[in-house]
Amino acid sequence: MTTVLTDELDPRLLEHRRELTGYCYRMLGSAFDADDAVQETMVRAWRGLSDFEGRSALRSWLYRIATNVCLDQLSGRQRRALPMDLSGSPWQPVEASLAARRPGTAWVEPVLDRQVVAEDADPAEQAVQRESIRLAFVSALQHLPPRQRAVLLLREVLRWRADEVAQLLDTTVASVNSALQRARATMAEVGGEAETEPLDDVHRALLDRYVDAFERYDVESLVALLHEDATQHMPPLEMWLRGRADIGTWMLGPGAKCRGSRVLPTLANGAPAFAQYRPRAGGGHEPWALHVLEVRAGRVAHISSFLDLDNELFRRLGLPVEPPA
């Protein structure tokens, strides 16, 4: 892929970078792949801008390019997933579960809200953008064939008309409506509509208590903030846990090296999250995991812990490589 420096691009193209990143992330299930797709979109648009001549709206033209880039990337590729999607039963919290690992390309990956949620959008639109990057929704999208995925996103997230989508995909309105109907049925079947609650003051206070307990490694206080049947998984490991008792046992067993960690609160996938920096052998702290929390009814219902085992996750998400002072 040809690299074009940002300062070489027409400002009209850069205005759409963030929303295109959000669209490509939902299509591809990876913030890293989304960045590559948007870069390729910008390259193609930069090359063709002189011939564009306003034949259609610039935004629609960019989405057409981005969709084609994503469809090319998805051709012949296996769907990304989360550990709970692949294994019907939770693992026991023993050291052996650390051995089962898949490459990063197998998993749905996280994205920071600031990468894809428009800061200048009205609150209602921001809520839609956050809801559509929830991990449960993005994971469910991966069950759809690529063109159905594009139709669902364009029609129900971006609110495009059926004739606009048909024009973008070079197909008919009837075909778009049929694809949307099939996509909705699949999403309902695989559980793409997870229960979510807005991030209000109550949830912020819960996150503060969670972060405090984690940094003190007070496991008893931490698991008290979880639902009794809370779940946790840790890509790229295949293992996942169910029940706060097993999560607590894991933290005091295989996860005990996390004692003494520092954390940085943030927002990821439309949910409260925190970056964890684990004590490093020889002193200091190293990037270790991004934890994304699902909160329901005043307690944590699920924890997605994305481990930075290859020292790439924090760097590519733009997270600090050192904990805050």
Side-chain angles (χ1 to χ4, degrees):
M1 182 182 69
T2 303
T3 300
V4 175
L5 297 177
T6 298
D7 56 9
E8 295 179 1
L9 293 172
D10 190 299
R12 291 175 295 169
L13 303 180
L14 295 176
E15 288 177 9
H16 300 280
R17 179 184 286 275
R18 182 176 295 180
E19 65 171 306
L20 288 171
T21 301
Y23 174 66
C24 293
Y25 172 71
R26 297 175 185 98
M27 283 289 292
L28 301 171
S30 164
F32 309 147
D33 286 354
D35 285 343
D36 290 344
V38 172
Q39 176 67 13
E40 178 64 17
T41 298
M42 292 295 166
V43 169
R44 294 185 188 184
W46 177 69
R47 288 172 172 166
L49 193 59
S50 60
D51 298 326
F52 172 62
E53 298 176 350
R55 290 189 300 273
S56 61
L58 177 64
R59 180 170 179 262
S60 300
W61 183 59
L62 288 172
Y63 269 97
R64 183 187 184 94
I65 297 172
T67 299
N68 288 331
V69 170
C70 289
L71 293 177
D72 288 345
Q73 283 200 21
L74 290 168
S75 178
R77 182 183 296 183
Q78 290 187 331
R79 72 176 179 90
R80 290 177 178 266
L82 290 169
M84 290 177 60
D85 299 332
L86 300 180
S87 174
S89 302
W91 292 66
Q92 293 300 311
V94 295
E95 295 286 350
S97 59
L98 296 173
R101 176 180 173 183
R102 298 194 186 195
T105 53
W107 306 114
V108 170
E109 296 173 332
V111 69
L112 299 184
D113 283 23
R114 66 172 183 248
Q115 295 175 286
V116 296
V117 176
E119 296 176 351
D120 56 353
D122 64 67
E125 178 58 28
Q126 287 183 339
V128 171
Q129 291 177 17
R130 289 193 172 97
E131 194 70 22
S132 61
I133 57 171
R134 295 280 187 174
L135 285 167
F137 182 77
V138 175
S139 179
L141 283 172
Q142 309 311 303
H143 289 266
L144 301 178
R147 286 176 68 88
Q148 281 188 30
R149 202 178 304 175
V151 168
L152 183 78
L153 291 172
L154 291 166
R155 291 283 285 121
E156 302 215 324
V157 175
L158 297 173
R159 304 288 193 261
W160 285 34
R161 299 192 313 268
D163 62 314
E164 293 173 322
V165 178
Q167 183 176 7
L168 183 147
L169 294 174
D170 291 324
T171 188
T172 65
V173 170
S175 177
V176 166
N177 290 336
S178 177
L180 179 60
Q181 186 176 9
R182 294 195 302 273
R184 285 172 173 168
T186 299
M187 293 291 283
E189 182 180 346
V190 300
E193 297 181 359
E195 296 179 28
T196 56
E197 298 177 4
L199 184 62
D200 56 17
D201 290 341
V202 173
H203 288 165
R204 291 187 180 92
L206 173 67
L207 180 62
D208 289 343
R209 296 198 301 275
Y210 190 98
V211 164
D212 174 67
F214 192 94
E215 284 198 315
R216 292 186 292 107
Y217 221 68
D218 181 348
V219 174
E220 183 178 355
S221 295
L222 192 144
V223 298
L225 301 175
L226 308 180
H227 282 282
E228 184 67 38
D229 61 349
T231 52
Q232 181 176 14
H233 52 208
M234 306 178 192
L237 304 180
E238 295 180 21
M239 57 83 62
W240 64 279
L241 304 167
R242 173 183 286 143
R244 58 188 182 193
D246 272 5
I247 292 173
T249 301
W250 171 271
M251 294 186 68
L252 294 172
K257 291 181 180 179
C258 291
R259 188 183 301 274
S261 292
R262 300 284 303 281
V263 303
L264 174 66
T266 186
L267 295 172
N269 290 93
F274 65 91
Q276 175 200 352
Y277 300 83
R278 196 173 73 163
R280 180 189 289 118
H285 291 77
E286 61 183 349
W288 181 248
L290 177 67
H291 303 268
V292 183
L293 309 181
E294 291 181 17
V295 179
R296 290 196 292 273
R299 292 182 186 273
V300 176
H302 178 71
I303 309 162
S304 291
S305 301
F306 296 93
L307 307 183
D308 193 4
L309 300 184
D310 298 322
N311 299 315
E312 287 289 322
L313 180 66
F314 278 48
R315 181 184 65 80
R316 296 195 69 173
L317 288 178
L319 288 166
V321 295
E322 297 288 339

